[in-house]
Amino acid sequence: MDSINGTAVRLTQYARGGGCACKIPPGELEEVLAGLTPPSEQLVVGAEHGDDAAVVAVDSSCGVVATTDFFTPVVDDPYTWGRIAAANALSDVYAMGGRPVVAVNLLCWPRETLPMELAAEVLRGGADTARAAGCPVGGGHSVDDAEPKYGMAVTGVVDLDRILRNDSGRPGLPLSLTKPLGIGVLNTRHKATGEVFPQAIAAMTELNDRASAAAVSAGVRCATDVTGFGLLGHLYKLVRASGVSTVLHADAVGYLEGAREAAKGGFVSGGTRRNLAWVEPHVDFGSLGEIDRLLLADAQTSGGLLVAGEVPGAPVIGELVPAGQASITVR
């Protein structure tokens, strides 16, 4: 671990939140955005349904995908944080069925508090992940800030006939989830205790490129990625946009090793609790207990894709059904 004057630096202690758990709560965000982003004829995909990125057509077959994502430290190691933040930003392009072509860095750094050498390590981690994705990094923007933050703005391309979007779900389609849940509670435990969880790091640094390509090849047209609003939050946005409901099979959802124990130990972020409060009016939980509810709402950082269709190797966790009294029914 890096140090300042012999004292170990824990980057997660320099920010109130961590990773995608530091997002503005979904309900508050929708109120702020109401009426500010009217539909545009120039956009193939805009802000109407909270899709992962914007898409504008450049000709009859090709679209440009534009997105940005950044957040406070989710792990203490700067290089690993850079890798995670880059994978998370690139994921928005993959969640639209696209391919990233160029990225620029977004860096906020407390230059009088933390050495710039640590910032260099963050940028190195982001560059290495972008390189693995075949996406060059062409500079970026930085500001002096009280809290460290890092991410990327990413531009990609997509076949207009093969876009993955929130509003294309139809009754009868299965739901697949390409990464296990539990990243949020393990990150919260890491922030509180300093324990390192390699299984969470492996999940967060894994690119969603292969899952996206597999979904597109299988003819899938509806998907999103699971990040700060948790599985339930992103699933609710998908079914609301598509005008359908869903049955979610709780026993089919996979979790990272140690996630349940972390949740039982109280390592639950405020973001996760806000996610649950937002979706509760729209979910029939049946007899599902509080820990399971929190885990389904757990704020993920660089999570997997939630796909309305089958993806090889990914568990099927439910299915879309005609719109009913509850948007989500958990069984």
Side-chain angles (χ1 to χ4, degrees):
M1 182 179 294
D2 296 279
S3 63
I4 301 176
N5 297 326
T7 302
V9 175
R10 294 197 56 212
L11 285 178
T12 57
Q13 305 307 297
Y14 286 82
R16 291 176 300 164
C20 289
C22 65
K23 281 187 174 182
I24 293 174
E28 292 182 25
L29 186 61
E30 289 189 346
E31 290 180 9
V32 169
L33 295 177
L36 294 180
T37 53
S40 169
E41 293 182 0
Q42 297 172 294
L43 290 172
V44 177
V45 179
E48 297 88 349
H49 301 302
D51 272 288
D52 298 289
V55 179
V56 61
V58 294
D59 58 34
S60 61
S61 61
C62 179
V64 171
V65 185
T67 184
T68 186
D69 210 313
F70 63 98
F71 46 67
T72 52
V74 68
V75 293
D76 290 324
D77 180 69
Y79 176 76
T80 303
W81 173 34
R83 293 178 62 208
I84 293 167
N88 183 74
L90 291 162
S91 179
D92 285 342
V93 175
Y94 296 132
M96 303 301 296
R99 175 177 61 85
V101 295
V102 67
V104 291
N105 290 310
L106 302 170
L107 178 69
C108 301
W109 199 258
R111 49 178 292 277
E112 295 183 357
T113 305
L114 291 173
M116 293 304 296
E117 291 81 2
L118 298 187
E121 280 297 287
V122 176
L123 295 172
R124 186 170 69 88
D128 282 353
T129 291
R131 187 178 301 110
C135 177
V137 179
H141 184 67
S142 62
V143 298
D144 189 349
D145 194 6
E147 284 188 336
K149 304 175 184 73
Y150 173 65
M152 288 179 168
V154 186
T155 302
V157 292
V158 67
D159 184 335
L160 292 177
D161 292 329
R162 307 176 86 185
I163 296 176
L164 303 177
R165 50 194 297 166
N166 272 356
D167 62 357
S168 299
R170 299 293 179 264
L173 290 174
L175 285 172
S176 302
L177 182 62
T178 66
K179 288 185 185 180
L181 302 182
I183 289 170
V185 290
L186 292 177
N187 286 344
T188 302
R189 184 165 182 167
H190 170 67
K191 179 177 173 64
T193 68
E195 297 173 81
V196 176
F197 299 99
Q199 67 273 34
I201 292 172
M204 290 186 287
T205 54
E206 179 185 353
L207 293 171
N208 283 326
D209 53 349
R210 287 178 294 181
S212 174
V216 171
S217 295
V220 171
R221 295 295 174 263
C222 180
T224 186
D225 62 354
V226 178
T227 55
F229 300 151
L231 173 62
L232 289 179
H234 290 283
L235 177 56
Y236 171 60
K237 291 174 67 177
L238 186 152
V239 298
R240 182 180 62 179
S242 296
V244 299
S245 292
T246 187
V247 174
L248 180 65
H249 302 289
D251 291 344
V253 177
Y255 293 96
L256 293 170
E257 181 183 354
R260 186 169 296 277
E261 291 74 13
K264 288 180 178 178
F267 297 103
V268 179
S269 69
T272 290
R273 295 188 185 278
R274 291 189 292 270
N275 289 342
L276 183 57
W278 182 59
V279 298
E280 274 183 322
H282 312 286
V283 182
D284 178 359
F285 283 107
S287 60
L288 197 72
E290 181 185 16
I291 294 299
D292 288 286
R293 297 184 187 199
L294 287 167
L295 286 169
L296 290 175
D298 188 38
Q300 307 296 282
T301 297
S302 191
L305 299 185
L306 176 64
V307 178
E310 292 196 46
V311 178
V316 172
I317 62 168
E319 58 273 345
L320 299 181
V321 297
Q325 187 172 1
S327 296
I328 302 171
T329 300
V330 182
R331 292 179 180 168

